[in-house]
Amino acid sequence: AAYNNPAKVVGGDFYDFFIFEEHKYGVAIADVSGKGIPAAMFMGSTRNIVRAETRVDYSPTHLLKDSNKLICADSEHGMFVTMFYAVIDSHNKVITYGNAGHNDQLLIKKNKDVIHLNAHGKALGIETDSEYEEKVIFYEDGDMLILFTDGVVESLGGDDLDIVQGDKQLSELAWHYLDKEPEEFIENLKNNLNERTKDAYKDDFTIFIIRF
């Protein structure tokens, strides 16, 4: 399940889901610098590039590296995009992932352990020759993968938009929804967000939840 709410009429966040072959899927979430129409246009271009690159080589290292070169060529006025991208092997229960300057994403284990998914790599669109680390982690049935942009943890971080506190709050909320459908978790987040911001979103808000 997923939810996106832009700070303005349109925004620069996006998420995507890919089917590669039997038991292998791709997931991505990204946040373009800036807001509004310029960010939305750059987001559209970035999403098209990433989708095209999945047809060439969908491994995280290669996809991020090759996408970055094309995004650098397409970037104007210093715009860039952070992205977390992962390939899920549902047969072997393996997540292979890379991170281009994005927030650490969360794998909530069924025993309530919280694993922060991080990997080295600069945001896309900054340096043409950037390299991207690839990591592997196993998951179990009952685990929950939470992909999100910084607007989510900022909104949960109180008046100071404290992302550390927001990250902790997101993890604690996830514990209560490990045995429920992701849609219920997202509905709770939407209600919390409306209460905290009174419908005045400070940043694009995007979350994508997978329960295994």
Side-chain angles (χ1 to χ4, degrees), residues 1 14 21 83 87 103 106 129 132 150 152 155 171 180 182 210:
F14 75 89
E21 53 190 272
M83 178 183 292
V87 176
N103 309 66
L106 300 178
D129 58 352
Y132 296 91
D150 58 5
V152 175
S155 73
S171 299
K180 300 178 181 179
I210 299 171

Side-chain angles (χ1 to χ4, degrees), residues 4-174:
N4 167 260
N5 197 106
K8 298 185 178 181
V9 176
V10 292
D13 284 4
F14 75 89
Y15 63 90
D16 215 338
F17 178 81
F18 315 94
I19 300 175
F20 297 133
E21 53 190 272
E22 188 175 11
H23 305 302
K24 284 196 176 180
Y25 311 90
V27 290
I29 192 161
D31 184 354
V32 172
S33 59
K35 299 179 182 69
I37 293 175
M41 293 179 66
F42 193 57
M43 177 270 288
S45 174
T46 298
R47 183 172 180 270
N48 289 337
I49 288 171
V50 171
R51 277 188 161 262
E53 289 300 319
T54 62
R55 302 185 183 98
V56 178
D57 187 336
Y58 60 72
S59 67
T61 293
H62 288 93
L63 181 135
L64 291 173
K65 183 176 180 179
D66 294 343
S67 295
N68 177 62
K69 291 179 180 178
L70 295 170
I71 291 168
C72 279
D74 200 43
S75 178
E76 296 181 2
H77 308 299
M79 295 189 74
F80 60 88
V81 55
T82 67
M83 178 183 292
F84 180 91
Y85 167 77
V87 176
I88 299 171
D89 181 338
S90 61
H91 177 72
N92 295 304
K93 297 183 180 179
V94 174
I95 302 171
T96 305
Y97 65 93
N99 193 334
H102 201 71
N103 309 66
D104 291 357
Q105 304 294 273
L106 300 178
L107 179 64
I108 311 295
K109 303 294 291 180
K110 61 182 180 181
N111 64 1
K112 296 190 177 181
D113 283 348
V114 179
I115 299 176
H116 287 80
L117 304 180
N118 55 65
H120 180 72
K122 291 183 178 180
L124 307 176
I126 294 178
E127 293 182 2
T128 304
D129 58 352
S130 291
E131 297 287 338
Y132 296 91
E133 181 182 15
E134 185 172 287
K135 290 187 176 181
V136 174
I137 190 168
F138 289 89
Y139 68 85
E140 302 173 275
D141 292 339
D143 292 351
M144 179 184 288
L145 178 64
I146 306 178
L147 308 183
F148 57 94
T149 57
D150 58 5
V152 175
V153 285
E154 286 176 358
S155 73
L156 294 173
D159 294 338
D160 295 330
L161 305 180
D162 185 337
I163 61 173
V164 174
Q165 177 60 33
D167 186 277
K168 180 181 178 182
Q169 180 75 6
L170 182 62
S171 299
E172 291 176 354
L173 282 171

